[in-house]
Amino acid sequence: MASPSFVRPVIGKGAEVLTDKKKDGHKRRFASWWNRKTQAEIWTIIAGVVALVTVIPPIWGPDESPTTASSATPSPGPSVLYEGGLRLDGDSKDLDASPPASRPDVNDIWWVEKRYELDLYDNGLVALWRGAGKPGYEECYDAAYAEGSKELAVSVGRWYCIKTVESHFGAFFVEEVGKTVRGRLTVWEKS
């Protein structure tokens, strides 16, 4: 079988023909080593390495890539102290009671109609929940400490995280704003 020929133009001399053999009779090393069988073996080895790399990480251990809040499984957190409706008008309420009620000594929250604002007593805090859906205990804990303030204007259709005077945490969804504020409230036991 004739060896393949390659044409390489050389400036000023025309074209020079290269073969697998040099003029002195010795084979070129590259041409003899790099044949189709060798190429097939190399591609088989590469495919094996790629397959091995995709199988080994599960053997080494769990994937430690960061997860987002939406894909993370929420931890159960403490049990619920109160879950139900909440309506604030001129009276303040104690959110540490189940159900929330007005107490003569300590209350947590009241509604300021003129400013459409929730105001909290003493060390209470309120923060807008910026995530999607209803926040859980840990999300409200983090939001209240990170962005919480003593007073906050609220709007319909948003979740708010609340820290009470007695350090319970709650999630409040505002359904109505006007002379009163009304919505759904979840308050968790202390952890």
PDB file of all heavy atoms in Angstrom, residues 99-133:
ATOM      1  N   PRO A  99     -54.609  33.296  71.719  1.00  0.00           N
ATOM      2  CA  PRO A  99     -54.426  34.218  70.594  1.00  0.00           C
ATOM      3  C   PRO A  99     -53.953  35.591  71.079  1.00  0.00           C
ATOM      4  O   PRO A  99     -54.081  35.909  72.260  1.00  0.00           O
ATOM      5  CB  PRO A  99     -55.828  34.311  69.984  1.00  0.00           C
ATOM      6  CG  PRO A  99     -56.765  34.059  71.114  1.00  0.00           C
ATOM      7  CD  PRO A  99     -56.037  33.099  72.029  1.00  0.00           C
ATOM      8  N   PRO A 100     -53.398  36.389  70.136  1.00  0.00           N
ATOM      9  CA  PRO A 100     -52.970  37.748  70.516  1.00  0.00           C
ATOM     10  C   PRO A 100     -54.121  38.512  71.162  1.00  0.00           C
ATOM     11  O   PRO A 100     -55.256  38.435  70.707  1.00  0.00           O
ATOM     12  CB  PRO A 100     -52.567  38.371  69.186  1.00  0.00           C
ATOM     13  CG  PRO A 100     -52.193  37.213  68.328  1.00  0.00           C
ATOM     14  CD  PRO A 100     -53.134  36.105  68.728  1.00  0.00           C
ATOM     15  N   ALA A 101     -53.816  39.250  72.230  1.00  0.00           N
ATOM     16  CA  ALA A 101     -54.853  39.978  72.971  1.00  0.00           C
ATOM     17  C   ALA A 101     -54.257  41.240  73.563  1.00  0.00           C
ATOM     18  O   ALA A 101     -53.039  41.366  73.686  1.00  0.00           O
ATOM     19  CB  ALA A 101     -55.407  39.088  74.079  1.00  0.00           C
ATOM     20  N   SER A 102     -55.120  42.174  73.932  1.00  0.00           N
ATOM     21  CA  SER A 102     -54.665  43.392  74.611  1.00  0.00           C
ATOM     22  C   SER A 102     -54.406  43.057  76.070  1.00  0.00           C
ATOM     23  O   SER A 102     -55.217  42.392  76.719  1.00  0.00           O
ATOM     24  CB  SER A 102     -55.727  44.477  74.523  1.00  0.00           C
ATOM     25  OG  SER A 102     -55.866  44.893  73.188  1.00  0.00           O
ATOM     26  N   ARG A 103     -53.265  43.501  76.582  1.00  0.00           N
ATOM     27  CA  ARG A 103     -52.930  43.303  77.988  1.00  0.00           C
ATOM     28  C   ARG A 103     -52.668  44.664  78.601  1.00  0.00           C
ATOM     29  O   ARG A 103     -52.133  45.558  77.953  1.00  0.00           O
ATOM     30  CB  ARG A 103     -51.660  42.456  78.118  1.00  0.00           C
ATOM     31  CG  ARG A 103     -51.908  41.001  77.969  1.00  0.00           C
ATOM     32  CD  ARG A 103     -50.734  40.103  78.275  1.00  0.00           C
ATOM     33  NE  ARG A 103     -49.502  40.698  78.747  1.00  0.00           N
ATOM     34  CZ  ARG A 103     -48.351  40.057  78.783  1.00  0.00           C
ATOM     35  NH1 ARG A 103     -48.282  38.809  78.373  1.00  0.00           N
ATOM     36  NH2 ARG A 103     -47.267  40.636  79.226  1.00  0.00           N
ATOM     37  N   PRO A 104     -52.974  44.855  79.859  1.00  0.00           N
ATOM     38  CA  PRO A 104     -52.744  46.156  80.474  1.00  0.00           C
ATOM     39  C   PRO A 104     -51.265  46.450  80.735  1.00  0.00           C
ATOM     40  O   PRO A 104     -50.855  47.608  80.752  1.00  0.00           O
ATOM     41  CB  PRO A 104     -53.519  46.080  81.794  1.00  0.00           C
ATOM     42  CG  PRO A 104     -53.692  44.634  82.068  1.00  0.00           C
ATOM     43  CD  PRO A 104     -53.677  43.935  80.736  1.00  0.00           C
ATOM     44  N   ASP A 105     -50.426  45.397  80.896  1.00  0.00           N
ATOM     45  CA  ASP A 105     -49.038  45.644  81.277  1.00  0.00           C
ATOM     46  C   ASP A 105     -48.071  45.702  80.085  1.00  0.00           C
ATOM     47  O   ASP A 105     -47.332  46.664  79.937  1.00  0.00           O
ATOM     48  CB  ASP A 105     -48.560  44.606  82.296  1.00  0.00           C
ATOM     49  CG  ASP A 105     -48.812  43.179  81.840  1.00  0.00           C
ATOM     50  OD1 ASP A 105     -49.557  42.965  80.862  1.00  0.00           O
ATOM     51  OD2 ASP A 105     -48.255  42.259  82.467  1.00  0.00           O
ATOM     52  N   VAL A 106     -48.057  44.697  79.230  1.00  0.00           N
ATOM     53  CA  VAL A 106     -47.096  44.668  78.125  1.00  0.00           C
ATOM     54  C   VAL A 106     -47.795  44.244  76.834  1.00  0.00           C
ATOM     55  O   VAL A 106     -48.440  43.201  76.786  1.00  0.00           O
ATOM     56  CB  VAL A 106     -45.944  43.674  78.414  1.00  0.00           C
ATOM     57  CG1 VAL A 106     -44.998  43.596  77.234  1.00  0.00           C
ATOM     58  CG2 VAL A 106     -45.189  44.059  79.661  1.00  0.00           C
ATOM     59  N   ASN A 107     -47.635  45.057  75.813  1.00  0.00           N
ATOM     60  CA  ASN A 107     -48.120  44.713  74.488  1.00  0.00           C
ATOM     61  C   ASN A 107     -46.952  44.828  73.509  1.00  0.00           C
ATOM     62  O   ASN A 107     -45.938  45.457  73.810  1.00  0.00           O
ATOM     63  CB  ASN A 107     -49.271  45.633  74.074  1.00  0.00           C
ATOM     64  CG  ASN A 107     -50.542  45.289  74.833  1.00  0.00           C
ATOM     65  OD1 ASN A 107     -50.970  44.148  74.848  1.00  0.00           O
ATOM     66  ND2 ASN A 107     -51.121  46.276  75.489  1.00  0.00           N
ATOM     67  N   ASP A 108     -47.114  44.241  72.363  1.00  0.00           N
ATOM     68  CA  ASP A 108     -46.031  44.207  71.385  1.00  0.00           C
ATOM     69  C   ASP A 108     -46.211  45.203  70.252  1.00  0.00           C
ATOM     70  O   ASP A 108     -45.246  45.797  69.790  1.00  0.00           O
ATOM     71  CB  ASP A 108     -45.921  42.804  70.760  1.00  0.00           C
ATOM     72  CG  ASP A 108     -45.437  41.785  71.760  1.00  0.00           C
ATOM     73  OD1 ASP A 108     -44.312  41.941  72.251  1.00  0.00           O
ATOM     74  OD2 ASP A 108     -46.185  40.827  72.049  1.00  0.00           O
ATOM     75  N   ILE A 109     -47.433  45.357  69.769  1.00  0.00           N
ATOM     76  CA  ILE A 109     -47.628  46.023  68.488  1.00  0.00           C
ATOM     77  C   ILE A 109     -48.901  46.851  68.486  1.00  0.00           C
ATOM     78  O   ILE A 109     -49.862  46.507  69.167  1.00  0.00           O
ATOM     79  CB  ILE A 109     -47.668  44.945  67.375  1.00  0.00           C
ATOM     80  CG1 ILE A 109     -47.565  45.537  65.985  1.00  0.00           C
ATOM     81  CG2 ILE A 109     -48.877  44.045  67.507  1.00  0.00           C
ATOM     82  CD1 ILE A 109     -47.316  44.489  64.897  1.00  0.00           C
ATOM     83  N   TRP A 110     -48.894  47.936  67.760  1.00  0.00           N
ATOM     84  CA  TRP A 110     -50.117  48.702  67.532  1.00  0.00           C
ATOM     85  C   TRP A 110     -50.084  49.298  66.135  1.00  0.00           C
ATOM     86  O   TRP A 110     -49.046  49.387  65.497  1.00  0.00           O
ATOM     87  CB  TRP A 110     -50.364  49.741  68.620  1.00  0.00           C
ATOM     88  CG  TRP A 110     -49.531  50.993  68.560  1.00  0.00           C
ATOM     89  CD1 TRP A 110     -49.838  52.161  67.942  1.00  0.00           C
ATOM     90  CD2 TRP A 110     -48.264  51.198  69.161  1.00  0.00           C
ATOM     91  NE1 TRP A 110     -48.845  53.075  68.115  1.00  0.00           N
ATOM     92  CE2 TRP A 110     -47.858  52.503  68.866  1.00  0.00           C
ATOM     93  CE3 TRP A 110     -47.411  50.403  69.935  1.00  0.00           C
ATOM     94  CZ2 TRP A 110     -46.641  53.042  69.294  1.00  0.00           C
ATOM     95  CZ3 TRP A 110     -46.216  50.929  70.358  1.00  0.00           C
ATOM     96  CH2 TRP A 110     -45.855  52.244  70.032  1.00  0.00           C
ATOM     97  N   TRP A 111     -51.257  49.716  65.665  1.00  0.00           N
ATOM     98  CA  TRP A 111     -51.458  50.229  64.315  1.00  0.00           C
ATOM     99  C   TRP A 111     -51.563  51.745  64.358  1.00  0.00           C
ATOM    100  O   TRP A 111     -52.363  52.297  65.111  1.00  0.00           O
ATOM    101  CB  TRP A 111     -52.725  49.625  63.720  1.00  0.00           C
ATOM    102  CG  TRP A 111     -53.113  50.143  62.370  1.00  0.00           C
ATOM    103  CD1 TRP A 111     -54.267  50.791  62.058  1.00  0.00           C
ATOM    104  CD2 TRP A 111     -52.378  50.028  61.161  1.00  0.00           C
ATOM    105  NE1 TRP A 111     -54.306  51.098  60.722  1.00  0.00           N
ATOM    106  CE2 TRP A 111     -53.130  50.636  60.143  1.00  0.00           C
ATOM    107  CE3 TRP A 111     -51.146  49.500  60.820  1.00  0.00           C
ATOM    108  CZ2 TRP A 111     -52.723  50.709  58.823  1.00  0.00           C
ATOM    109  CZ3 TRP A 111     -50.712  49.562  59.519  1.00  0.00           C
ATOM    110  CH2 TRP A 111     -51.498  50.167  58.534  1.00  0.00           C
ATOM    111  N   VAL A 112     -50.734  52.426  63.541  1.00  0.00           N
ATOM    112  CA  VAL A 112     -50.802  53.874  63.416  1.00  0.00           C
ATOM    113  C   VAL A 112     -51.458  54.172  62.077  1.00  0.00           C
ATOM    114  O   VAL A 112     -50.816  54.118  61.023  1.00  0.00           O
ATOM    115  CB  VAL A 112     -49.396  54.520  63.514  1.00  0.00           C
ATOM    116  CG1 VAL A 112     -49.501  56.028  63.389  1.00  0.00           C
ATOM    117  CG2 VAL A 112     -48.710  54.118  64.808  1.00  0.00           C
ATOM    118  N   GLU A 113     -52.754  54.469  62.130  1.00  0.00           N
ATOM    119  CA  GLU A 113     -53.552  54.637  60.913  1.00  0.00           C
ATOM    120  C   GLU A 113     -53.044  55.764  60.022  1.00  0.00           C
ATOM    121  O   GLU A 113     -52.993  55.617  58.798  1.00  0.00           O
ATOM    122  CB  GLU A 113     -55.017  54.878  61.289  1.00  0.00           C
ATOM    123  CG  GLU A 113     -55.913  55.118  60.106  1.00  0.00           C
ATOM    124  CD  GLU A 113     -57.275  55.618  60.515  1.00  0.00           C
ATOM    125  OE1 GLU A 113     -57.670  55.485  61.685  1.00  0.00           O
ATOM    126  OE2 GLU A 113     -57.963  56.176  59.636  1.00  0.00           O
ATOM    127  N   LYS A 114     -52.672  56.898  60.593  1.00  0.00           N
ATOM    128  CA  LYS A 114     -52.255  58.063  59.794  1.00  0.00           C
ATOM    129  C   LYS A 114     -51.069  57.751  58.889  1.00  0.00           C
ATOM    130  O   LYS A 114     -50.957  58.278  57.806  1.00  0.00           O
ATOM    131  CB  LYS A 114     -51.879  59.233  60.705  1.00  0.00           C
ATOM    132  CG  LYS A 114     -53.029  59.863  61.421  1.00  0.00           C
ATOM    133  CD  LYS A 114     -52.537  61.069  62.189  1.00  0.00           C
ATOM    134  CE  LYS A 114     -52.907  60.907  63.644  1.00  0.00           C
ATOM    135  NZ  LYS A 114     -52.427  61.974  64.481  1.00  0.00           N
ATOM    136  N   ARG A 115     -50.191  56.869  59.346  1.00  0.00           N
ATOM    137  CA  ARG A 115     -48.972  56.566  58.565  1.00  0.00           C
ATOM    138  C   ARG A 115     -48.998  55.164  57.966  1.00  0.00           C
ATOM    139  O   ARG A 115     -48.018  54.754  57.356  1.00  0.00           O
ATOM    140  CB  ARG A 115     -47.745  56.708  59.472  1.00  0.00           C
ATOM    141  CG  ARG A 115     -47.576  58.117  60.015  1.00  0.00           C
ATOM    142  CD  ARG A 115     -46.272  58.274  60.788  1.00  0.00           C
ATOM    143  NE  ARG A 115     -46.046  57.270  61.811  1.00  0.00           N
ATOM    144  CZ  ARG A 115     -46.078  57.510  63.111  1.00  0.00           C
ATOM    145  NH1 ARG A 115     -46.324  58.718  63.567  1.00  0.00           N
ATOM    146  NH2 ARG A 115     -45.849  56.547  63.975  1.00  0.00           N
ATOM    147  N   TYR A 116     -50.110  54.438  58.145  1.00  0.00           N
ATOM    148  CA  TYR A 116     -50.199  53.031  57.719  1.00  0.00           C
ATOM    149  C   TYR A 116     -48.969  52.272  58.202  1.00  0.00           C
ATOM    150  O   TYR A 116     -48.242  51.651  57.443  1.00  0.00           O
ATOM    151  CB  TYR A 116     -50.331  52.887  56.208  1.00  0.00           C
ATOM    152  CG  TYR A 116     -51.666  53.323  55.642  1.00  0.00           C
ATOM    153  CD1 TYR A 116     -51.831  53.507  54.288  1.00  0.00           C
ATOM    154  CD2 TYR A 116     -52.761  53.527  56.461  1.00  0.00           C
ATOM    155  CE1 TYR A 116     -53.049  53.900  53.762  1.00  0.00           C
ATOM    156  CE2 TYR A 116     -53.988  53.918  55.951  1.00  0.00           C
ATOM    157  CZ  TYR A 116     -54.117  54.100  54.599  1.00  0.00           C
ATOM    158  OH  TYR A 116     -55.330  54.489  54.097  1.00  0.00           O
ATOM    159  N   GLU A 117     -48.765  52.311  59.506  1.00  0.00           N
ATOM    160  CA  GLU A 117     -47.511  51.847  60.062  1.00  0.00           C
ATOM    161  C   GLU A 117     -47.743  50.914  61.245  1.00  0.00           C
ATOM    162  O   GLU A 117     -48.614  51.155  62.075  1.00  0.00           O
ATOM    163  CB  GLU A 117     -46.737  53.090  60.522  1.00  0.00           C
ATOM    164  CG  GLU A 117     -45.325  52.882  60.908  1.00  0.00           C
ATOM    165  CD  GLU A 117     -44.671  54.234  61.170  1.00  0.00           C
ATOM    166  OE1 GLU A 117     -44.787  54.727  62.312  1.00  0.00           O
ATOM    167  OE2 GLU A 117     -44.060  54.782  60.248  1.00  0.00           O
ATOM    168  N   LEU A 118     -46.962  49.857  61.299  1.00  0.00           N
ATOM    169  CA  LEU A 118     -46.907  49.013  62.484  1.00  0.00           C
ATOM    170  C   LEU A 118     -45.827  49.583  63.396  1.00  0.00           C
ATOM    171  O   LEU A 118     -44.709  49.847  62.941  1.00  0.00           O
ATOM    172  CB  LEU A 118     -46.543  47.566  62.114  1.00  0.00           C
ATOM    173  CG  LEU A 118     -47.564  46.784  61.304  1.00  0.00           C
ATOM    174  CD1 LEU A 118     -46.999  45.417  60.923  1.00  0.00           C
ATOM    175  CD2 LEU A 118     -48.872  46.618  62.075  1.00  0.00           C
ATOM    176  N   ASP A 119     -46.133  49.776  64.657  1.00  0.00           N
ATOM    177  CA  ASP A 119     -45.157  50.247  65.641  1.00  0.00           C
ATOM    178  C   ASP A 119     -45.022  49.175  66.709  1.00  0.00           C
ATOM    179  O   ASP A 119     -46.013  48.590  67.141  1.00  0.00           O
ATOM    180  CB  ASP A 119     -45.618  51.564  66.287  1.00  0.00           C
ATOM    181  CG  ASP A 119     -45.394  52.759  65.372  1.00  0.00           C
ATOM    182  OD1 ASP A 119     -45.099  52.547  64.180  1.00  0.00           O
ATOM    183  OD2 ASP A 119     -45.520  53.902  65.846  1.00  0.00           O
ATOM    184  N   LEU A 120     -43.787  48.937  67.123  1.00  0.00           N
ATOM    185  CA  LEU A 120     -43.519  47.910  68.127  1.00  0.00           C
ATOM    186  C   LEU A 120     -42.949  48.522  69.388  1.00  0.00           C
ATOM    187  O   LEU A 120     -42.201  49.484  69.332  1.00  0.00           O
ATOM    188  CB  LEU A 120     -42.574  46.846  67.554  1.00  0.00           C
ATOM    189  CG  LEU A 120     -43.367  45.892  66.652  1.00  0.00           C
ATOM    190  CD1 LEU A 120     -43.288  46.286  65.224  1.00  0.00           C
ATOM    191  CD2 LEU A 120     -42.979  44.478  66.901  1.00  0.00           C
ATOM    192  N   TYR A 121     -43.333  47.961  70.521  1.00  0.00           N
ATOM    193  CA  TYR A 121     -42.874  48.417  71.832  1.00  0.00           C
ATOM    194  C   TYR A 121     -41.489  47.862  72.149  1.00  0.00           C
ATOM    195  O   TYR A 121     -41.076  46.820  71.639  1.00  0.00           O
ATOM    196  CB  TYR A 121     -43.826  47.919  72.929  1.00  0.00           C
ATOM    197  CG  TYR A 121     -45.161  48.602  72.988  1.00  0.00           C
ATOM    198  CD1 TYR A 121     -46.278  48.024  72.397  1.00  0.00           C
ATOM    199  CD2 TYR A 121     -45.316  49.804  73.660  1.00  0.00           C
ATOM    200  CE1 TYR A 121     -47.515  48.630  72.473  1.00  0.00           C
ATOM    201  CE2 TYR A 121     -46.550  50.416  73.741  1.00  0.00           C
ATOM    202  CZ  TYR A 121     -47.647  49.824  73.138  1.00  0.00           C
ATOM    203  OH  TYR A 121     -48.871  50.428  73.215  1.00  0.00           O
ATOM    204  N   ASP A 122     -40.822  48.530  73.091  1.00  0.00           N
ATOM    205  CA  ASP A 122     -39.572  48.092  73.704  1.00  0.00           C
ATOM    206  C   ASP A 122     -38.580  47.520  72.691  1.00  0.00           C
ATOM    207  O   ASP A 122     -38.169  48.198  71.783  1.00  0.00           O
ATOM    208  CB  ASP A 122     -39.847  47.090  74.835  1.00  0.00           C
ATOM    209  CG  ASP A 122     -40.634  47.728  75.971  1.00  0.00           C
ATOM    210  OD1 ASP A 122     -40.507  48.956  76.167  1.00  0.00           O
ATOM    211  OD2 ASP A 122     -41.381  46.999  76.651  1.00  0.00           O
ATOM    212  N   ASN A 123     -38.230  46.240  72.864  1.00  0.00           N
ATOM    213  CA  ASN A 123     -37.234  45.631  71.985  1.00  0.00           C
ATOM    214  C   ASN A 123     -37.854  44.882  70.804  1.00  0.00           C
ATOM    215  O   ASN A 123     -37.193  44.087  70.150  1.00  0.00           O
ATOM    216  CB  ASN A 123     -36.327  44.681  72.789  1.00  0.00           C
ATOM    217  CG  ASN A 123     -37.095  43.531  73.398  1.00  0.00           C
ATOM    218  OD1 ASN A 123     -38.317  43.562  73.499  1.00  0.00           O
ATOM    219  ND2 ASN A 123     -36.377  42.498  73.818  1.00  0.00           N
ATOM    220  N   GLY A 124     -39.118  45.141  70.525  1.00  0.00           N
ATOM    221  CA  GLY A 124     -39.778  44.523  69.372  1.00  0.00           C
ATOM    222  C   GLY A 124     -39.250  45.090  68.060  1.00  0.00           C
ATOM    223  O   GLY A 124     -38.792  46.230  68.001  1.00  0.00           O
ATOM    224  N   LEU A 125     -39.311  44.284  67.004  1.00  0.00           N
ATOM    225  CA  LEU A 125     -38.825  44.692  65.682  1.00  0.00           C
ATOM    226  C   LEU A 125     -39.775  44.207  64.602  1.00  0.00           C
ATOM    227  O   LEU A 125     -40.427  43.176  64.754  1.00  0.00           O
ATOM    228  CB  LEU A 125     -37.433  44.091  65.409  1.00  0.00           C
ATOM    229  CG  LEU A 125     -36.301  44.490  66.348  1.00  0.00           C
ATOM    230  CD1 LEU A 125     -35.077  43.613  66.105  1.00  0.00           C
ATOM    231  CD2 LEU A 125     -35.960  45.963  66.160  1.00  0.00           C
ATOM    232  N   VAL A 126     -39.814  44.941  63.496  1.00  0.00           N
ATOM    233  CA  VAL A 126     -40.590  44.523  62.329  1.00  0.00           C
ATOM    234  C   VAL A 126     -39.740  44.779  61.087  1.00  0.00           C
ATOM    235  O   VAL A 126     -39.037  45.783  60.999  1.00  0.00           O
ATOM    236  CB  VAL A 126     -41.955  45.255  62.246  1.00  0.00           C
ATOM    237  CG1 VAL A 126     -41.795  46.752  62.144  1.00  0.00           C
ATOM    238  CG2 VAL A 126     -42.796  44.719  61.083  1.00  0.00           C
ATOM    239  N   ALA A 127     -39.812  43.834  60.127  1.00  0.00           N
ATOM    240  CA  ALA A 127     -39.031  43.955  58.895  1.00  0.00           C
ATOM    241  C   ALA A 127     -39.838  43.405  57.736  1.00  0.00           C
ATOM    242  O   ALA A 127     -40.595  42.437  57.885  1.00  0.00           O
ATOM    243  CB  ALA A 127     -37.719  43.180  59.012  1.00  0.00           C
ATOM    244  N   LEU A 128     -39.671  44.004  56.580  1.00  0.00           N
ATOM    245  CA  LEU A 128     -40.287  43.499  55.351  1.00  0.00           C
ATOM    246  C   LEU A 128     -39.572  42.214  54.948  1.00  0.00           C
ATOM    247  O   LEU A 128     -38.341  42.156  54.935  1.00  0.00           O
ATOM    248  CB  LEU A 128     -40.153  44.538  54.227  1.00  0.00           C
ATOM    249  CG  LEU A 128     -40.571  44.084  52.830  1.00  0.00           C
ATOM    250  CD1 LEU A 128     -42.065  43.798  52.769  1.00  0.00           C
ATOM    251  CD2 LEU A 128     -40.195  45.153  51.806  1.00  0.00           C
ATOM    252  N   TRP A 129     -40.338  41.156  54.624  1.00  0.00           N
ATOM    253  CA  TRP A 129     -39.751  39.910  54.105  1.00  0.00           C
ATOM    254  C   TRP A 129     -39.576  40.087  52.607  1.00  0.00           C
ATOM    255  O   TRP A 129     -40.518  40.323  51.879  1.00  0.00           O
ATOM    256  CB  TRP A 129     -40.666  38.727  54.426  1.00  0.00           C
ATOM    257  CG  TRP A 129     -40.291  37.477  53.690  1.00  0.00           C
ATOM    258  CD1 TRP A 129     -41.042  36.815  52.767  1.00  0.00           C
ATOM    259  CD2 TRP A 129     -39.074  36.734  53.817  1.00  0.00           C
ATOM    260  NE1 TRP A 129     -40.369  35.714  52.322  1.00  0.00           N
ATOM    261  CE2 TRP A 129     -39.148  35.644  52.942  1.00  0.00           C
ATOM    262  CE3 TRP A 129     -37.926  36.897  54.577  1.00  0.00           C
ATOM    263  CZ2 TRP A 129     -38.130  34.710  52.815  1.00  0.00           C
ATOM    264  CZ3 TRP A 129     -36.902  35.978  54.449  1.00  0.00           C
ATOM    265  CH2 TRP A 129     -37.017  34.896  53.574  1.00  0.00           C
ATOM    266  N   ARG A 130     -38.341  39.997  52.139  1.00  0.00           N
ATOM    267  CA  ARG A 130     -38.017  40.242  50.723  1.00  0.00           C
ATOM    268  C   ARG A 130     -37.978  38.974  49.886  1.00  0.00           C
ATOM    269  O   ARG A 130     -37.803  39.029  48.681  1.00  0.00           O
ATOM    270  CB  ARG A 130     -36.684  40.976  50.627  1.00  0.00           C
ATOM    271  CG  ARG A 130     -36.729  42.336  51.308  1.00  0.00           C
ATOM    272  CD  ARG A 130     -35.410  43.072  51.192  1.00  0.00           C
ATOM    273  NE  ARG A 130     -35.353  44.242  52.028  1.00  0.00           N
ATOM    274  CZ  ARG A 130     -35.923  45.403  51.747  1.00  0.00           C
ATOM    275  NH1 ARG A 130     -36.608  45.546  50.658  1.00  0.00           N
ATOM    276  NH2 ARG A 130     -35.806  46.420  52.582  1.00  0.00           N
ATOM    277  N   GLY A 131     -38.133  37.833  50.515  1.00  0.00           N
ATOM    278  CA  GLY A 131     -38.109  36.565  49.784  1.00  0.00           C
ATOM    279  C   GLY A 131     -39.465  36.261  49.162  1.00  0.00           C
ATOM    280  O   GLY A 131     -40.425  37.022  49.277  1.00  0.00           O
ATOM    281  N   ALA A 132     -39.522  35.115  48.501  1.00  0.00           N
ATOM    282  CA  ALA A 132     -40.761  34.664  47.859  1.00  0.00           C
ATOM    283  C   ALA A 132     -41.542  33.785  48.834  1.00  0.00           C
ATOM    284  O   ALA A 132     -40.964  32.996  49.570  1.00  0.00           O
ATOM    285  CB  ALA A 132     -40.436  33.883  46.596  1.00  0.00           C
ATOM    286  N   GLY A 133     -42.848  33.929  48.835  1.00  0.00           N
ATOM    287  CA  GLY A 133     -43.694  33.095  49.673  1.00  0.00           C
ATOM    288  C   GLY A 133     -43.600  33.442  51.145  1.00  0.00           C
ATOM    289  O   GLY A 133     -42.967  34.416  51.548  1.00  0.00           O
TER     290      GLY A 133
END
